[in-house]
């Protein structure tokens, strides 16, 4: 993967993390860096899942892949928030 691909993945991951955080109701007690890291992980894992389901290459926008990634980010944000609120 070229450096431009890595930078793109980080930027897209940050957007995914923010969108995932917006889906989770209420106030989250996690920082911006945690949100971005969760988004990056969700973007990569979601891309792997979309590839396994053969929905990663469609004509136009890959909506199913985006939904998977944002859903994973929302789960990650909720899980980390719950973990941090208990400790």
């Amino acid at each position: 993967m070229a450096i431009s691909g890595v930078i793109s993945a980080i930027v897209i991951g940050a957007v995914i993390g923010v969108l995932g955080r917006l889906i989770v109701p209420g106030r989250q007690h996690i920082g911006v860096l945690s949100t971005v890291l969760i988004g990056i992980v969700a973007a990569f894992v979601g891309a792997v899942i979309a590839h396994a389901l053969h929905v990663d290459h469609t004509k136009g926008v890959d909506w199913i892949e985006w939904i998977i990634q944002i859903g994973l980010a929302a789960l990650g944000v909720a899980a980390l928030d719950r973990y941090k609120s208990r400790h």
Side-chain angles (χ1 to χ4, degrees), residues 43-62:
F44 280 117
V45 173
V48 169
I49 292 171
H51 180 71
L53 296 174
H54 304 290
V55 295
D56 56 337
H57 294 295
T58 59
K59 293 181 182 179
V61 179
D62 296 326

Side-chain angles (χ1 to χ4, degrees), residues 27-39:
R27 177 173 165 83
Q28 293 85 37
H29 299 90
I30 62 173
V32 174
L33 183 59
S34 296
T35 302
V36 170
L37 291 175
I38 289 170

Side-chain angles (χ1 to χ4, degrees), residues 4-80:
S4 62
V6 172
I7 292 171
S8 297
I10 291 170
V11 170
I12 291 171
V15 171
I16 297 276
V18 170
L19 291 173
R21 188 171 178 155
L22 288 173
I23 290 174
V24 178
R27 177 173 165 83
Q28 293 85 37
H29 299 90
I30 62 173
V32 174
L33 183 59
S34 296
T35 302
V36 170
L37 291 175
I38 289 170
I40 292 168
V41 171
F44 280 117
V45 173
V48 169
I49 292 171
H51 180 71
L53 296 174
H54 304 290
V55 295
D56 56 337
H57 294 295
T58 59
K59 293 181 182 179
V61 179
D62 296 326
W63 292 109
I64 297 172
E65 182 175 5
W66 275 82
I67 290 169
I68 292 169
Q69 292 170 332
I70 294 169
L72 288 172
L75 287 173
V77 166
L80 184 60

